[in-house]
Amino acid sequence: MGRVQTPIPGRDDYFSAWAVTHGGYDPATGSALVRHWLGLTYRLARPLAAHSVPPAAVTAAAAALPALALPLAAAGGRWPLLVALVVAASGLLDNLDGAVAILRARASAAGFVLDSVADRVADGLYLIALWLLGAPGWLVVAAGAAVGLLEYTRARAGNAGLGEIGVVTVGERPTRVIIAVAGPLAAGCLPGLREPVAAAAAAGTLAVAVVGLGQLTAVLRRVLGGRPERAGRRGPEDVAGGSGKNGGGPPARRS
């Protein structure tokens, strides 16, 4: 007998499943930008899910792809235009892995951890590309530290009971990916201004990460300030606030 293919959920079912894994945020009634973006990722992820592409393979591709941008960034001239394309493709893949996981009912705690690690690898490669384009090393290091601190604080907040989506700050990863695309794009269009443009992109990343950290910290003080520390050993389900809005199950990979 041939293998029975599991039907791919429709868009509305995908939105519902996405909401469950993202703190109950309903894209059907929320921001139009979020709804259109998720509609795009659904259309792109559907054929991957139909061909049984593993979500982990998409995650690995999203993390490895930015490495191709490094020699392109170092080449100068108009090559940074391809850097922007590579970074944009990486950011898109980062959303597709979560969509594929949902469509194939493969969301898992292991996938969540892998996705988070892949994101941090890609974040680092984006900043290295800006350094190769001419951004000062100290600025790139400061931006990387700010991004790492923002993401670490969010992870610890989830461990303390704040739902995975928590608060949407100005420093979220989509904003940082947009900056990482805009910098090389401008550098490729204006080769003579490559270094100041790269510096501006690194400074932009630093700025949104610092502001985002401030926004997240303010929410943490308000929401978690009066809560007692949870006793006992924390399990993997707590990393993404699994004991909160997500119904106590394992955290799902983010799309």
Side-chain angles (χ1 to χ4, degrees):
M1 295 178 61
R3 186 177 61 179
V4 177
Q5 292 287 341
T6 302
I8 302 300
R11 195 189 72 155
D12 291 342
D13 291 334
Y14 167 67
F15 280 1
S16 298
W18 187 92
V20 170
T21 61
H22 289 76
Y25 181 91
D26 186 1
T29 58
S31 165
L33 180 61
V34 172
R35 184 165 58 254
H36 290 315
W37 175 251
L38 290 178
L40 173 62
T41 58
Y42 169 76
R43 289 192 296 271
L44 294 175
R46 185 181 174 88
L48 297 177
H51 287 84
S52 301
V53 175
V58 183
T59 301
L65 190 59
L68 299 178
L70 303 187
L72 298 173
R78 301 287 183 179
W79 289 105
L81 293 174
L82 286 182
V83 174
L85 181 61
V86 168
V87 171
S90 171
L92 181 59
L93 284 175
D94 177 52
N95 283 266
L96 290 183
D97 63 351
V100 171
I102 291 175
L103 293 177
R104 295 191 61 201
R106 294 281 297 273
S108 66
F112 177 85
V113 173
L114 177 62
D115 185 52
S116 298
V117 172
D119 285 349
R120 302 294 75 78
V121 171
D123 285 340
L125 292 174
Y126 297 161
L127 289 170
I128 292 174
L130 292 178
W131 174 65
L132 291 172
L133 286 171
W138 67 268
L139 186 56
V140 169
V141 171
V147 168
L149 186 57
L150 171 62
E151 296 296 345
Y152 177 77
T153 302
R154 183 181 294 281
R156 295 301 296 170
N159 195 264
L162 187 68
E164 181 203 341
I165 200 165
V167 56
V168 178
T169 74
V170 72
E172 297 307 311
R173 193 162 191 272
T175 304
R176 304 195 308 262
V177 171
I178 290 172
I179 294 173
V181 171
L185 184 62
C189 293
L190 303 168
L193 298 177
R194 187 181 69 171
E195 292 185 2
V197 163
T205 301
L206 173 60
V208 298
V210 169
V211 173
L213 180 61
Q215 291 175 306
L216 181 59
T217 301
V219 171
L220 290 180
R221 289 175 61 87
R222 183 174 69 251
V223 175
L224 300 180
R227 294 186 186 181
E229 181 179 0
R230 292 195 293 180
R233 186 178 180 87
R234 296 180 174 89
E237 70 278 4
D238 293 325
V239 175
S243 58
K245 296 179 181 179
N246 290 352
R253 63 174 65 235
R254 295 173 289 180
S255 63

